[in-house]
Amino acid sequence: MAANNRANFGSKLGIILASAGSAVGLGNIWRFPYETGNHGGAAFILVYLGCVILLGLPIMISEFLIGRHSQASTGGAYSTLAPGTQWKWVGRIGVLTGFLILSYYSVVAGWTLEYILQAATNSFAGKSANDFIASFGAFSSNPWRPLVWLAVFLLATHFIVVKGVEKGIEKYSKLMMPALFVLLLILVVCAVTLPGANKGIEFLLAPDFSKVNGKVFLGAMGQAFFSLSLGMGCLGTYASYFGKNTNLAKTALSVSAIDTMVAILAGFIIFPAAFSVGIQPDTGPSLVFITLPNVFQQAFGGIPVLALILSVMFYVLLAVAAITSTISLHEVVTAYLHEQFKMTRKKAATFVTGSCIFLGIFCSLSLGKTKEYTLFGMGTFDLFDFATTKIMLPFGGLLISIFTGWYLSKKIVKEEITNQGTLKGSIYPYLIFILKYIAPVAISFILINELGFLE
Ligand code: PHE
């Protein structure tokens, strides 16, 4: 598997931006705010930060070292490092998880395109909060429009993935990530200066611990895995394209810090904005699609050009954040098919795009036309989200920490952390301790507790 002509990222910055591009996405700007809103605000954020530091960082380093050492995408990495064992299932489950996430994630990513169009054609003008609630409901349950956007979004992802690692993934990430930061900062300044914004800031900063229960822990842990793109070998696959000199621990720290910062900044856009116009923060998945257009109208309606520019900017930001993530999800499955089944990259990518459009159709329709068909009380969209984020990713993380902490030779782990002895690697003992004991116990406890076995 360790082919010498394996594709590689061209630069250190490219590595950080592509990995951060995978991590930063709808998870930060769409999912993080509504999960925070559903779980009571600041207290959820504290538990979330704990999960990022204690579980996210060590597991990200693990994924990096598994990917770089095996020089294989996640689907093949475990068979390379643990030949003839059942560990290969960690990779395979990861590929399946990525496939399922890509299917429902692209539905929401498609919504961002509709909203760019609506914003740009001035359709938000003169609407009230209730109008926005109604128009989002009408759009997301429309049987056709969201499907067209779903296909457009997946095809755009497809073309970038087909271009390959350096000319596709790296080039586009380097272009899009800086643009995203600039847009984000402008919008934070606008949101926190709205009248009444302080209530939203308080919601983000003053924890109410009476709200912390088992659900908060499961929600925060799932969100941490989802937002950092962990538990399914996505970053492991990217790490297989890292150079020998890449400092894995430092890269993990940068990626986690960027990801967390973007989520918190998104919070500083959404909550001040929501509170200032009296929209409840626990509105759920529709939060950014209702709150934001309303805010732009209420706050800048007097200057219609400004309202128009800011709303277009926001949804472009969401689309950009989403596509750097869909690229990484797509890459995991494409690389697996390409490497394991010897398909050409183009053929593999076409298969992934086609199947995800197919599954995405079910996810999208489950929010409207086929609402009444549910399993465990959830439609396809919610079921995919729950099963992947709250179960499959943490479970993948559990297996990855056991694999690195207990199975993998300590020599390999040390070599990867210290780049063959050229770095100090002072985090090594802490890393092993967390991977061996803390992460497996914490993840199992939260999963078992919340899935009801202890009740
Ligand atoms: N991290 C991405 C986001 O926050 C989603 C994602 C999850 C991407 C898992 C890759 C793997 O939007």
Side-chain angles (χ1 to χ4, degrees):
M1 199 65 54
N4 288 333
N5 59 356
R6 188 170 176 76
N8 257 306
F9 286 119
S11 67
K12 205 164 119 190
L13 184 69
I15 285 177
I16 293 183
L17 291 184
S19 310
S22 165
V24 173
L26 295 175
N28 307 59
I29 306 171
W30 162 71
R31 203 173 188 287
F32 176 79
Y34 85 74
E35 281 286 290
T36 304
N38 279 339
H39 292 116
F44 173 85
I45 297 183
L46 285 180
V47 179
Y48 174 75
L49 291 178
C51 291
V52 169
I53 294 167
L54 213 61
L55 305 175
L57 249 178
I59 292 176
M60 192 182 295
I61 299 174
S62 282
E63 286 205 21
F64 279 169
L65 69 90
I66 290 169
R68 185 171 67 177
H69 196 80
S70 65
Q71 288 288 294
S73 73
T74 194
Y78 296 88
S79 335
T80 309
L81 298 178
T85 66
Q86 295 305 321
W87 284 108
K88 59 177 180 274
W89 286 100
V90 181
R92 290 180 181 170
I93 296 172
V95 173
L96 175 69
T97 311
F99 187 67
L100 297 178
I101 296 180
L102 184 59
S103 305
Y104 84 89
Y105 194 95
S106 302
V107 173
V108 183
W111 296 349
T112 65
L113 301 180
E114 163 80 14
Y115 272 65
I116 293 174
L117 183 74
Q118 284 197 20
T121 51
N122 212 16
S123 321
F124 295 161
K127 283 189 175 160
S128 69
N130 283 336
D131 295 335
F132 286 117
I133 295 174
S135 65
F136 176 78
F139 162 67
S140 60
S141 58
N142 179 304
W144 290 111
R145 268 184 98 90
L147 302 188
V148 174
W149 291 124
L150 161 77
V152 171
F153 203 93
L154 271 167
L155 286 173
T157 306
H158 174 92
F159 287 115
I160 297 177
V161 171
V162 168
K163 279 184 185 286
V165 175
E166 192 174 343
K167 291 213 180 70
I169 300 173
E170 180 170 354
K171 185 171 140 210
Y172 285 90
S173 304
K174 270 185 170 164
L175 218 95
M176 293 195 243
M177 292 303 290
L180 187 140
F181 286 120
V182 176
L183 286 178
L184 208 57
L185 286 177
I186 297 175
L187 290 168
V188 170
V189 174
C190 293
V192 297
T193 50
L194 289 170
N198 52 339
K199 276 210 213 102
I201 298 176
E202 207 174 286
F203 183 75
L204 278 171
L205 297 181
D208 174 359
F209 289 108
S210 66
K211 297 248 163 66
V212 177
N213 56 24
K215 287 220 157 37
V216 167
F217 280 94
L218 184 70
M221 176 170 76
Q223 176 61 27
F225 278 104
F226 185 85
S227 188
L228 295 170
S229 304
L230 290 180
M232 50 152 286
C234 194
L235 293 181
T237 299
Y238 272 17
S240 72
Y241 311 129
F242 286 4
K244 280 207 273 317
N245 301 330
T246 307
N247 183 332
L248 299 184
K250 234 176 161 174
T251 307
L253 193 65
S254 310
V255 173
S256 311
I258 293 174
D259 188 70
T260 306
M261 210 170 67
V262 173
I264 306 274
L265 286 179
F268 275 96
I269 300 175
I270 313 294
F271 292 110
F275 278 91
S276 94
V277 291
I279 286 179
Q280 287 310 310
D282 57 358
T283 318
S286 57
L287 187 65
V288 287
F289 293 94
I290 292 172
T291 325
L292 264 294
N294 187 43
V295 169
F296 296 129
Q297 280 324 298
Q298 309 276 330
F300 307 103
I303 322 167
V305 192
L306 191 59
L308 188 138
I309 294 176
L310 285 174
S311 26
V312 173
M313 264 172 51
F314 179 77
Y315 289 104
V316 168
L317 169 103
L318 257 185
V320 166
I323 201 159
T324 49
S325 300
T326 50
I327 291 169
S328 71
L329 288 159
H330 201 296
E331 175 65 21
V332 171
V333 194
T334 301
Y336 172 71
L337 297 176
H338 171 59
E339 288 168 13
Q340 301 297 309
F341 298 98
K342 308 283 170 268
M343 287 186 184
T344 60
R345 269 186 75 87
K346 200 164 170 196
K347 229 191 194 158
T350 308
F351 177 79
V352 177
T353 305
S355 332
C356 283
I357 293 180
F358 181 71
L359 281 184
I361 291 175
F362 288 97
C363 294
S364 183
L365 291 178
S366 75
L367 298 169
K369 267 260 172 288
T370 61
K371 225 189 205 132
E372 64 280 9
Y373 298 104
T374 58
L375 192 65
F376 307 116
M378 289 178 269
T380 315
F381 182 98
D382 292 332
L383 193 65
F384 275 29
D385 180 64
F386 181 84
T388 53
T389 306
K390 294 197 173 151
I391 301 177
M392 294 169 88
L393 292 181
F395 185 62
L398 172 71
L399 296 177
I400 290 166
S401 56
I402 295 176
F403 182 76
T404 317
W406 292 93
Y407 179 86
L408 203 58
S409 124
K410 294 297 155 293
K411 190 167 153 270
I412 295 182
V413 179
K414 193 143 198 186
E415 266 172 25
E416 287 295 330
I417 298 300
T418 61
N419 286 353
Q420 321 295 328
T422 56
L423 298 172
K424 268 216 325 262
S426 31
I427 56 141
Y428 174 76
Y430 306 104
L431 180 76
I432 292 294
F433 182 75
I434 294 182
L435 291 173
K436 259 191 145 147
Y437 305 106
I438 310 239
V441 171
I443 300 173
S444 313
F445 185 77
I446 297 176
L447 276 180
I448 294 170
N449 195 21
E450 191 43 39
L451 296 176
F453 301 126
L454 287 186
E455 278 155 22

